[in-house]
Amino acid sequence: MANRTDSPVKMLVNLAAFQVGWFACVLGGSIVGLLVTAVILTLHLTCLARPGEWRWLVGFAALGLVVDGSLALAGGFGFTEGILAFGVLPTWLWLLWPLFATLVHHSLSWLWQYRWLAVLGGATSGPLSYYGGARLAGVELAPWLLPAEALAWALICLALSRRLGSSLVLTRETR
């Protein structure tokens, strides 16, 4: 369910914090990304998150390890260096998943009620983020990786839309 108390300013701060975290991870690497992400997640949980939202952050961290970890093990990424999270992914790449989770109930909450748009957004924005991040971080991507990420993110956004979109409609109807 969306946090109905979010003002437009809070939503923009939420989006800006994600972008700062994304750039810190992609350009700064694992150490800088870890420090900046820790600050962003701490501020998010203390200033913006709704009760229990920490579970979404942890869940997306686990999901990122499964999705990107599997794709890394299959040879989808060519990393030149970096500290590996759980021996599979550079920490900076893994940190992008809980950072994305900070958007789910806030800046992206409006999206989940439009299932087709959520799926399209996931199928296009996900791979574009990977492509841009890989170019900036010097990561080689296998030719099949972006289509695989498109499918993964389309399915993730479909699941989010199914889970959260109906609660948005119910919230509106009860007003």
Side-chain angles (χ1 to χ4, degrees):
M1 178 177 355
N3 187 344
R4 289 291 173 198
T5 61
D6 284 355
S7 68
V9 171
K10 282 186 177 182
M11 290 175 69
L12 287 174
V13 168
N14 174 240
L15 186 59
F18 169 79
Q19 283 306 141
V20 166
W22 189 91
F23 279 112
C25 287
V26 171
L27 296 175
S30 294
I31 300 296
V32 172
L34 184 60
L35 294 173
V36 172
T37 299
V39 169
I40 291 170
L41 295 181
T42 300
L43 289 172
H44 179 82
L45 289 170
T46 56
C47 300
L48 187 62
R50 62 192 190 118
E53 192 173 328
W54 65 270
R55 291 181 189 101
W56 284 84
L57 304 182
V58 171
F60 265 86
L63 182 62
L65 187 59
V66 170
V67 173
D68 281 350
S70 298
L71 294 171
L73 289 173
F77 299 98
F79 303 112
T80 54
E81 59 185 65
I83 301 166
L84 298 182
F86 306 103
V88 182
L89 296 171
T91 302
W92 66 264
L93 180 60
W94 176 64
L95 291 170
L96 296 173
W97 287 80
L99 280 171
F100 173 80
T102 64
L103 303 174
V104 170
H105 294 289
H106 304 283
S107 295
L108 292 179
S109 64
W110 64 272
L111 180 62
W112 311 128
Q113 63 188 322
Y114 304 104
R115 194 165 290 164
W116 67 271
L117 189 57
V119 170
L120 181 63
T124 56
S125 298
L128 284 173
S129 179
Y130 281 86
Y131 178 76
R135 297 282 303 210
L136 291 172
V139 174
E140 294 293 323
L141 303 178
W144 55 266
L145 183 73
L146 294 178
E149 290 288 3
L151 178 61
W153 279 99
L155 292 173
I156 290 166
C157 290
L158 175 62
L160 287 169
S161 182
R162 284 186 163 173
R163 169 89 162 97
L164 301 174
S166 60
S167 61
L168 288 172
V169 172
L170 291 174
T171 302
R172 279 195 192 144
E173 291 173 357
T174 57
R175 284 187 179 179

